């Protein structure tokens, strides 16, 4: 079947990074690393076609499930999900792959992590392809979700997934 053909050769493993166990899908053992970061609410699987194609062309194509997604550990404390944790996971993954730099491709939520990786650790990124999310510096005077709510309203997908304290009480 077409799906089976695409999935052939994609290997899965668990890597210890930044204090968590991260699930990684990859194809290709040698060549430049292309690292894919998925969006919300997605998994490595979103990149299966790109992994298969690039892995077959001599690249080492890698896509993790990000912290809290899929088969990657999900720490219970909300304080374990800062951008510093998320970028730290990717830095540790790059190190675990045994390379100095990666070609980074990211979408949606992964793109935000990608932008911050480029800001905090630019030496780890050879080139960055960002899909769907332009760089927007954080306004220190407003919480990100509050800013999204002000710009896009309560029906914006990020806002719809927030738990409000009034609902809990």
């Amino acid at each position: 079947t077409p799906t089976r053909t695409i999935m052939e050769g994609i290997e899965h493993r668990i890597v210890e990074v930044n204090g968590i166990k991260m699930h990684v899908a990859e194809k290709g053992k040698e060549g430049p690393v292309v690292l894919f970061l998925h969006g919300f609410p997605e998994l490595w699987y979103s990149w299966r076609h790109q992994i298969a194609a690039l892995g077959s062309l001599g690249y080492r194509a890698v896509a993790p499930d990000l912290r809290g997604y899929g088969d990657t550990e999900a720490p219970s404390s909300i304080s374990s999900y800062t951008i510093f944790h998320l970028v730290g996971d990717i830095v540790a993954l790059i190190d675990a792959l045994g390379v100095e730099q990666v070609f980074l491709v990211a979408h949606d939520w992964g793109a935000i992590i990608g932008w911050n990786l480029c800001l905090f650790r630019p030496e780890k990124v050879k080139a960055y392809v960002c899909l769907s999310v332009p760089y927007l510096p954080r306004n220190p005077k407003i919480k990100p979700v509050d800013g999204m709510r002000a710009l896009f309203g309560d029906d914006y997908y990020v806002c719809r997934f927030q738990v409000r304290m009034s609902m809990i009480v």
Side-chain angles (χ1 to χ4, degrees), residues 44 114 142 162:
W44 74 270
I142 189 166
Q162 302 303 306

Side-chain angles (χ1 to χ4, degrees), residues 48-69:
R48 67 194 178 280
H49 298 287
Q50 292 79 10
I51 294 169
L54 291 175
S56 297
L57 292 173
Y59 292 90
R60 185 176 175 195
V62 179
D65 287 337
L66 297 171
R67 178 180 287 242
Y69 290 81

Side-chain angles (χ1 to χ4, degrees), residues 114-129:
W115 283 120
N116 283 282
L117 175 63
C118 291
L119 283 172
F120 301 155
R121 298 297 299 274
E123 76 281 3
K124 295 289 186 183
V125 181
K126 187 172 285 198
Y128 182 37
V129 176

Side-chain angles (χ1 to χ4, degrees), residues 15-22 67 72-75 80 85 88-89 92-93:
V15 181
E16 296 269 346
V17 298
N18 200 25
I20 63 167
K21 293 178 182 168
M22 177 177 272
R67 178 180 287 242
T72 293
E73 283 188 330
S80 297
H85 288 90
D89 294 348
L93 175 58

Side-chain angles (χ1 to χ4, degrees), residues 99-118:
V99 297
E100 295 293 321
Q101 291 186 315
V102 297
F103 290 99
L104 184 64
V105 180
H107 165 68
D108 189 64
W109 172 239
I112 295 170
I113 298 168
W115 283 120
N116 283 282
L117 175 63
C118 291

Side-chain angles (χ1 to χ4, degrees), residues 142-159:
I142 189 166
K143 293 180 179 179
V145 174
D146 292 342
M148 290 177 203
R149 186 172 285 113
L151 283 172
F152 306 118
D154 285 331
D155 284 337
Y156 186 59
Y157 80 104
V158 172
C159 300

